[in-house]
Amino acid sequence: MLPRSSGYLTSFGGKTMATLLFAAMFFLASCGSPGGSLFDNNTPKPLPLAPAISAVSPSTGPITGGTTVRVNGTNFEKGATVTFGGVPAGSVALVSTRPLGTLAPRSPRMSPGSDSTISVAVPTSTQLVAVTPQGIVGPATVEVMNPDGQAGGLTNGFTYTASSSSPDPPSSSAPSPDSIQIVNSLPDGNPQVPYHATLVAYIGVRSLSNIVTMSDWKLTAGSIPSGLTLESSTGVIHGTPTAAGPATFSVQGTSSGGKTATSTLTINVKAPTSNDPELPGTFLDTTYPDTTGYIVKTVCAAGCDYKTVQSAVSGVHTVGGDANGEIIKLASGATFNENVTLPAYTMVPGKWVIITTDTNAENLPAEGQRINPTYSPVMAKIVTSNVSYAVGAASQANHYWLMGLEIETAPSATANYGIVVIGCASGGCETSAANLPSYIYLDRDYIHGNNLSSNIKRGVAANGASIAVVNSYISAITNTGQDCQAIGLWNGPGPLKIVNNYLEAATENFMSGGSSTSITNLITSDIEFRRNYLFKPLTWNPKSSTYGGVTQDVKNFFELKSGNRVLVEGNVMENNWAQAQNGMSILFTPRNSDGGCPQCVVSNVTFQYNLVKNTPGGFNIMGEDNIHPSGITNRLTIKDNLLLNIGLDTWGQARPVYQLLNSTAGPTNIVINHNTAFESHNVIMFGDSANTNYVTPFTFTNNIQPHGTYGILGSGQAIGTSSLDAYCGASGYTANANILEAADGHTGVYPSGNYFPTDWSGVFANYDQGDYHIKTGSKYKNAGTDGKDLGADIDAVVSAIAGSAP
């Protein structure tokens, strides 16, 4: 049975969300609300034009970067980004815009109720000033991407020349080397919960595009929390804190040009309170095992112990019926066209069956480092050319460690039900926890499809107990007829560790739930989802200038239809759009698919220190399945996240940052705190049952975002307090210490204690260049309900996501 994905236009008791929004439009229009309707559909909107580059001047500069160039062309927009050879420019500023004149429409947009009214965008001559990043000798393509996702490039537009100078930007118009600044804050930690943060620095403007690599990190004063280690070469602080309490210390790092910088930092290790979501109760240890004494077997075409992978895994050596550790080495670069089933063995405690590529360790990434496709020539390949898995774990299979393998579908495969299938491998799913596969670890594996027209269900189906996918690269998981995921599960109890992976899939990059469980009362619990890069290529987007011609069933990044004790931290989620769904990007929506999972619930979720960018909408939070009975969403905290380019036309019709639905029951104990979001629509949308099924308690505090068209709104209600009262109850919410920029006359309709600046100049240190730290000396510093700066802790986000995206 196919998983059913929840969306914006969801049916509620015979009504649809579209109907309810239409009612809200009518109500607001009749009350004189600006624009006349919720989406302002009666006003034709110009169709945005793609940028085009005509010239770059100067067109040469040193590989050290720091050259100030002028990029001339048409249709550049404020907020556009510039890349040189795929590397973001150090800073970008739009300096001029003038109309070129009216051209015939390329694709007119019709006004509702009319077959003749059109609105046509007028091309403009524009100029950007950008500072080149570091590069390599030779020509580089220059590309401009507007905030709506449309892009235009100039092949070989800039040429890097050799230079013996310091790699720190030398240009007088670029930041000086003296402006290197180490981050001033790091993510909080919890006792007995694994911790990971990276010390990084900015050069000049403290924006995401100005991160500079440093090394030779050392403590100069104080000490980090007990249980943590500072890696001097990378600046990574990791380990497991042993006790609660703050630790203050000073660090020094050295740039590649030999410049040093220092910073005094504090890591707060805090015991969770009774109001916080429960964190995962178990964290899997994926430290590579000590293989001393393991039997080593080889697999190759000739001259090895085995010729096929299946014969090797079926011949694991046992003594007295127990397997005591075995390494199966597959010939480097060899291709094994097989459907391999991992059988069950009784393993000696602490021992594994390790399947890996037969190559020197230096030919693969070091432990903890992510694999990528450049390693393909070295890796052994297991390939399926049919609908069956390339690798599947049978019932009770346990303690398999797959490392440094390429696992894929053949280019000729038109359909596949899962490239790696853990559990449910024999067709039916296990009906008891005792029969589940367990301790199956995928480490530094490259798992992918080979044909974007193929229908692939999943890269990894993780229906087992104690499953880990770490340091891996899962890509080209596409499907034009049904849902697909890079990683998905519905019949696995957890714990589940998904850390430091590249996850690329059309429908959902990750999903838990969506089908009836075969194990009674199963709820997937203890999910650790950290430092992953969730990505959808623009070549899949029909609105992109880079569209490759195959339309994928795109829905969202991350979806929980069932999950308990979930930690989502330090991830980058980039590029989502309305295609098979409306474009909301992160879904916490319990679903009792087909009535076979009444226990399914979304509960105890912590979503923190993530970067989400380029998408129509943010979070979709549903109280209860509106079709079959389910558990009620509860104890959800969204904090310290940065959301960029939300609600742009290229990604689909603009949606809210936060959508909360209460058709049959309202989600409870929802906390949205210290987030910074830039959206073009509205902040919160409530639906669909006013004055009943309250969303309570609901906390919305210390957040920064534009007010957008309608700010905080509920279906059939007025903006602001009226909607909060109707959907949360007059005493069921806290909504203060938020910045709602450019509220345009709506400042009086919100609860007291919020802020309504007319623009960003007095809020951020440098909004135009992407520095979203609170401006020194502004009234927004230390103005939070907890005494912190309003909005997300930008430095903590930067430290948490460092290395998550390429």
Side-chain angles (χ1 to χ4, degrees), residues 711-777:
I712 298 176
L713 179 68
S715 295
Q717 302 298 311
I719 294 171
T721 301
S722 173
S723 289
L724 288 164
D725 287 350
Y727 281 88
C728 304
S731 61
Y733 65 90
T734 302
N736 63 337
N738 300 291
I739 290 178
L740 297 167
E741 179 257 1
D744 296 334
H746 295 297
T747 59
V749 303
Y750 285 95
S752 62
N754 292 293
Y755 302 92
F756 305 93
T758 57
D759 58 46
W760 296 123
S761 60
V763 178
F764 296 119
N766 195 329
Y767 169 73
D768 288 337
Q769 294 195 33
D771 183 350
Y772 305 127
H773 297 81
I774 296 298
K775 190 172 186 176
T776 300

Side-chain angles (χ1 to χ4, degrees), residues 102-151:
T102 303
L103 299 178
R106 295 180 304 159
S107 179
R109 180 175 292 172
M110 309 306 294
S111 177
S114 168
D115 59 0
S116 60
T117 303
I118 63 173
S119 178
V120 183
V122 178
T124 56
S125 174
T126 47
Q127 186 180 89
L128 294 166
V129 172
V131 177
T132 62
Q134 296 180 31
I136 58 176
V137 172
T141 295
V142 182
E143 183 178 77
V144 172
M145 178 180 285
N146 284 336
D148 65 5
Q150 296 197 85

Side-chain angles (χ1 to χ4, degrees), residues 773-784 787-790:
H773 297 81
I774 296 298
K775 190 172 186 176
T776 300
S778 79
K779 63 181 179 181
Y780 310 113
K781 282 200 73 66
N782 305 319
K788 297 180 180 180
D789 290 355
L790 297 184

